[in-house]
Amino acid sequence: MSLVVMKFGGTSVEDPAAITRTAAIVAGRVALGKQPVVVVSAMAKVTDQLLRAAAASEKGDRAAALEISAQLRQRHRETAAQLLSNSTELIEFIDQKFDSLDEVLRGLAAILELTPRISDLIVSYGERISSRIVAAAFAELGINSIAVDAREIVITDSTFQKAVPQDALIDKRAAEKLLPLINQGQVPVMGGFIAANEAGITTTLGRGGSDFTGALIGGALEAEAIEIWTDVDGIMTADPRVCPDALRVKIISFEEAAELAYFGAKVLHPATILPAVKKNIPVLVLNSRNAACEGTRITSLAPRCRSPFKSIAVKKRLSIIDVVASRMLMTHGYMKEIFTIFDKHKCAVDMVSTSEVSVSLTVDSNDNLPALAADLGQLADVKYEGRKALICMVGDDIRGQSGMAAQVFSAIRHINVRMISQGASEINMSFMIDEDDADEAVRSLHATFFKDPDPAIFDVEARRANALSS
Ligand code: ADP
Ligand code: ASP
Ligand code: MG
């Protein structure tokens, strides 16, 4: 069986033209004798808008929340009407869903408390509706498709907003609910990101989580490949929005891709790699606007590269916390006390650096910081500063190359570096700077390290073609 999981992100289903392109890509796989299972995100920006509606409701601004919902209803209705010759049934479905969303928003505006559970329920409408529209559009365009509710298959614990998948249950549900459809030649279409706990209460896998759904389903069905279709040609040497010179990375290891994803390369959700690694399933990152491009192949073994780095990732919206004690810090148990406080406030630490009297830590900027700082203040003097960014350079065997740190820091000598880390992993070198300097730092580093890219690893042809056409 040549089963392939195809995940399409928000931009790949953002409007009727995108959905039609997506259908052609899936039909192309079917024509090659593949058996696709399709996972789709909400239409582009819908999750953000649903969260905005939820925030308005929570503040008691019912009118604003319902206005956002009405605009979304209109956008989905119009998409359905444009794609289907007879859209009555689908539009009825869309109306039913938006009616029930409006009820939730009204209720929230009355009780004024947005719990993680209600937030997950609200955002779930995006994928619940997009998957039905895409399934219907596929059928209209000649694909034997069927909509499947992801919440019947992707079973998680009850950690709302970042639920943990229950692999054994997902394997079982996928075998029970997806395999029979696939065996009948049908193409299941399900929403990514959304899931449910064992009691059937809606959960989500965290922002960007549709990639993760794709990988979970691929792992459960032991697919031949997991394809992540997005709006760029693959994993690039830097975010192309920041660095227009970025090159496509043709092949990269699971380890390197995981590191990049974790350190902010939005192209892939950080957890995506895990189910694929477990079953050794290749992951491909592909462009739904440029389907002919071969994308990036993520595999267990990547070939050796003559350049030290494969890509540069940036994680923004971080804060740096300095804990300064008047007595010696490294006394027994001190670090434990500090980390216990971070744990209490559920703050994940990205980077740590210590001296005799101080510890500096970096965390995602969030609303808990004042409370965290107050607790830390019981132990020592505490300062925190937001608007920081972590730049992470990823490549295999960085440690094996001498003088690498000197080259990196000389490329950004005009920028103030606050913290540096290299060591834990052999494949990443990272440092913290002001957020306002981040884009400039990426471009300077890129210009230095991707001047003479290895054609075995990077798509140098595209750069040459661009240079000729401009
Ligand atoms: P989707 O909606 O398809 O999941 P995302 O917006 O989550 O798409 O991810 C794709 C975006 O990731 C790209 O448009 C690009 O701006 C950004 N990105 C960040 N870093 C990289 C990188 N190293 N390579 C490719 N894209 C990147
Ligand atoms: N729609 C969700 C989000 O925007 C999940 C995803 O697109 O991967 O976060
Ligand atoms: Mg994404």
Side-chain angles (χ1 to χ4, degrees):
M1 189 159 65
S2 55
L3 204 150
V4 44
V5 173
M6 306 175 76
K7 177 263 166 175
F8 292 90
T11 44
S12 303
V13 295
E14 67 186 347
D15 55 26
I19 295 173
T20 306
R21 270 198 309 269
T22 292
I25 292 169
V26 174
R29 289 288 185 271
V30 174
L32 288 172
K34 309 264 179 206
Q35 292 170 292
V37 175
V38 174
V39 173
V40 294
S41 290
M43 295 171 76
K45 308 254 161 43
V46 167
T47 309
D48 288 339
Q49 279 162 316
L50 288 167
L51 285 171
R52 227 174 301 130
S57 266
E58 190 194 17
K59 280 198 241 122
D61 195 346
R62 205 172 76 146
L66 293 177
E67 174 56 30
I68 296 172
S69 170
Q71 283 169 8
L72 288 174
R73 183 193 293 247
Q74 188 58 17
R75 175 171 169 203
H76 286 88
R77 276 172 139 257
E78 277 169 13
T79 306
Q82 283 185 43
L83 284 163
L84 302 191
S85 49
N86 180 357
S87 58
T88 317
E89 210 178 303
L90 184 58
I91 288 184
E92 229 167 71
F93 171 84
I94 293 170
D95 278 337
Q96 269 173 18
K97 292 300 147 226
F98 277 102
D99 288 347
S100 64
L101 171 64
D102 288 351
E103 249 175 74
V104 177
L105 292 172
R106 280 194 202 98
L108 181 57
I111 56 170
L112 303 175
E113 190 195 354
L114 179 59
T115 60
R117 173 172 163 171
I118 299 295
S119 177
D120 275 356
L121 175 66
I122 291 174
V123 289
S124 75
Y125 284 92
E127 270 76 5
R128 279 154 71 188
I129 300 170
S130 70
S131 55
R132 285 292 281 259
I133 295 178
V134 171
F138 279 12
E140 178 95 4
L141 296 163
I143 299 169
N144 187 6
S145 59
I146 178 163
V148 172
D149 191 335
R151 296 170 301 170
E152 291 180 9
I153 297 166
V154 185
I155 307 301
T156 65
D157 71 359
S158 301
T159 318
F160 296 101
Q161 295 184 317
K162 214 179 175 61
V164 179
Q166 309 294 295
D167 291 347
L169 286 172
I170 297 173
D171 287 357
K172 186 162 169 279
R173 298 281 185 103
E176 280 168 12
K177 297 192 184 278
L178 291 176
L179 276 183
L181 303 174
I182 299 164
N183 290 336
Q184 286 161 25
Q186 289 184 297
V187 175
V189 179
M190 52 193 275
F193 174 57
I194 58 172
N197 66 13
E198 268 189 275
I201 308 292
T202 301
T203 60
T204 66
L205 301 174
R207 291 305 308 268
S210 294
D211 298 340
F212 195 11
T213 305
L216 288 166
I217 298 297
L221 295 173
E222 309 213 339
E224 142 192 297
I226 298 164
E227 297 179 349
I228 307 288
W229 290 86
T230 183
D231 60 353
V232 282
D233 278 347
I235 294 183
M236 313 287 285
T237 46
D239 185 342
R241 283 184 217 189
V242 173
C243 183
D245 287 344
L247 295 160
R248 175 170 61 91
V249 183
K250 295 194 221 171
I251 184 160
I252 196 165
S253 69
F254 281 129
E255 252 187 313
E256 291 168 315
E259 202 83 355
L260 276 174
Y262 181 75
F263 284 102
K266 192 183 163 212
V267 65
L268 215 58
H269 182 277
T272 309
I273 306 295
L274 221 67
V277 174
K278 271 194 203 154
K279 303 256 168 86
N280 199 15
I281 303 171
V283 176
L284 292 137
V285 181
L286 298 154
N287 188 352
S288 68
R289 293 175 181 164
N290 182 17
C293 177
E294 63 184 20
T296 299
R297 192 176 177 81
I298 309 173
T299 59
S300 50
L301 271 185
R304 264 313 232 273
C305 176
R306 73 161 192 243
S307 348
F309 299 112
K310 296 269 172 61
S311 184
I312 308 169
V314 184
K315 200 168 180 179
K316 290 187 179 170
R317 280 175 288 284
L318 298 180
S319 290
I320 189 163
I321 303 181
D322 294 314
V323 183
V324 185
S326 50
R327 61 194 163 101
M328 206 169 94
L329 252 190
M330 293 308 165
T331 49
H332 180 72
Y334 199 91
M335 282 297 212
K336 183 166 170 234
E337 281 182 68
I338 291 182
F339 278 100
T340 305
I341 294 172
F342 276 83
D343 194 44
K344 176 182 154 199
H345 292 275
K346 294 199 164 43
C347 270
V349 174
D350 282 313
M351 204 195 257
V352 186
S353 128
T354 63
S355 76
E356 193 188 3
V357 293
S358 72
V359 188
S360 299
L361 308 105
T362 67
V363 296
D364 283 350
S365 298
N366 61 53
D367 301 341
N368 295 340
L369 285 190
L372 173 83
D375 275 0
L376 288 169
Q378 308 282 327
L379 294 179
D381 289 337
V382 179
K383 277 188 306 191
Y384 63 94
E385 210 184 311
R387 298 190 57 80
K388 297 280 170 274
L390 190 66
I391 308 278
C392 171
M393 317 262 308
V394 171
D396 50 18
D397 200 23
I398 299 171
R399 248 201 277 182
Q401 313 227 9
S402 59
M404 202 44 63
Q407 281 184 53
V408 167
F409 294 112
S410 129
I412 51 155
R413 60 184 162 279
H414 50 303
I415 287 168
N416 182 26
V417 176
R418 288 288 303 268
M419 270 169 88
I420 300 172
S421 147
Q422 190 209 338
S425 118
E426 282 180 44
I427 60 168
N428 130 21
M429 183 185 287
S430 29
F431 52 90
M432 163 107 359
I433 57 177
D434 282 340
E435 197 173 275
D436 292 342
D437 293 330
D439 292 355
E440 165 57 24
V442 170
R443 287 190 284 265
S444 298
L445 289 163
H446 197 274
T448 303
F449 289 100
F450 296 97
K451 229 182 330 209
D452 175 30
D454 185 341
I457 307 292
F458 304 102
D459 182 9
V460 290
E461 292 304 319
R463 178 181 279 181
R464 228 173 270 143
N466 278 346
L468 285 176
S469 68
S470 61

